[in-house]
Amino acid sequence: KQEVTQIPAALSVPEGENLVLNCSFTDSAIYNLQWFRQDPGKGLTSLLLIQSSQREQTSGRLNASLDKSSGRSTLYIAASQPGDSATYLCAVFSGNTPLVFGKGTRLSVIA
Amino acid sequence: NAGVTQTPKFQVLKTGQSMTLQCAQDMNHEYMSWYRQDPGMGLRLIHYSVGAGITDQGEVPNGYNVSRSTTEDFPLRLLSAAPSQTSVYFCASSWDRTNTEAFFGQGTRLTVV
């Protein structure tokens, strides 16, 4: 059974700092990995999708990497801003079932 | 395109009542799924569908029914609501499981009293 773990569970950083969020998964036979953002009381917004054959994806200040063999992904956020404050969720698609999620990292960026 | 639309946004039920949570997508996606999100538990898969007429159970299916008569719609039925079903419910869709990103609705916040 696929399990996804995100570390840390919560993170507080000053504005402007670069930061890394970590995601690990137990079964490396994945089709893809997706990072989402969730604001309080809202739905999930897709940030980046990494196919199993890819090593990284970039969108603006966000960069996600994937090391499938070791079961790890990182989300790098450059020059953090207060508007980046949210919960970040990692999820993997493997086998025949839809996305399996980690419990998320709650990020606070302090102005 | 509206994307993934869930209705209602909020609902209060009494124990034992039944109701249907609606989910519709206008992207012609084959894959649709229902999750529930609870504090400390993350998002857990309830049921999913790989196409019209095909459904399967996820991690926490008990107390819920689904059907998929069209590509666009994937309703979730609570048969006899229990307080343990108080949660936020999300519907998601994607083209398939291998190459495309998943899109989520805005959620239905359900309280069972």
Side-chain angles (χ1 to χ4, degrees), chain B:
Chain B
N1 285 350
V4 180
T5 303
Q6 290 184 234
T7 56
K9 288 186 169 53
F10 302 93
Q11 184 71 49
V12 178
L13 285 180
K14 294 182 179 179
T15 298
Q17 286 185 318
S18 62
M19 79 159 294
T20 299
L21 279 62
Q22 301 291 344
C23 175
Q25 52 89 12
D26 61 359
M27 298 172 282
N28 205 30
H29 285 172
E30 290 295 326
Y31 240 81
M32 295 187 75
S33 50
W34 277 102
Y35 294 84
R36 60 178 289 174
Q37 187 175 36
D38 303 290
M41 302 295 291
L43 281 121
R44 293 179 293 169
L45 181 66
I46 305 171
H47 285 286
Y48 66 100
S49 170
V50 301
I54 306 170
T55 64
D56 207 344
Q57 297 181 348
E59 180 184 357
V60 288
N62 291 341
Y64 307 95
N65 269 0
V66 293
S67 60
R68 183 100 179 266
S69 56
T70 68
T71 299
E72 295 78 19
D73 301 299
F74 190 43
L76 178 72
R77 298 181 189 85
L78 279 70
L79 308 173
S80 177
S84 61
Q85 293 179 304
T86 294
S87 187
V88 181
Y89 292 84
F90 289 101
C91 178
S93 75
S94 62
W95 276 107
D96 59 31
R97 68 175 184 270
T98 59
N99 293 321
T100 60
E101 64 184 315
F103 295 88
F104 279 75
Q106 288 301 299
T108 295
R109 187 173 297 273
L110 175 68
T111 302
V112 182
V113 298

Side-chain angles (χ1 to χ4, degrees), chain A residues 41-62:
Chain A
K42 303 294 185 182
L44 280 70
T45 300
S46 177
L47 297 174
L48 289 164
L49 170 72
I50 309 178
Q51 310 282 0
S52 63
S53 59
Q54 296 174 324
R55 297 283 295 183
E56 65 178 331
Q57 283 284 347
T58 298
S59 176
R61 293 182 294 108
L62 305 180

Side-chain angles (χ1 to χ4, degrees), chain A residues 2 4-6 21-25 27 30-36 46-55 57 64-68 71-75 89-94 99-100 102, chain B residues 97-102:
Chain A
Q2 179 74 267
V4 179
T5 302
Q6 291 187 247
L21 307 181
N22 296 294
C23 171
S24 62
F25 46 95
D27 184 354
I30 64 169
Y31 291 109
N32 61 59
L33 182 144
Q34 201 165 344
W35 283 93
F36 294 88
S46 177
L47 297 174
L48 289 164
L49 170 72
I50 309 178
Q51 310 282 0
S52 63
S53 59
Q54 296 174 324
R55 297 283 295 183
Q57 283 284 347
S65 68
L66 174 64
D67 184 344
K68 202 173 77 160
R72 296 179 186 273
S73 176
T74 61
L75 179 66
L89 296 161
C90 166
V92 297
F93 223 144
S94 58
L99 291 170
V100 176
Chain B
R97 68 175 184 270
T98 59
N99 293 321
T100 60
E101 64 184 315

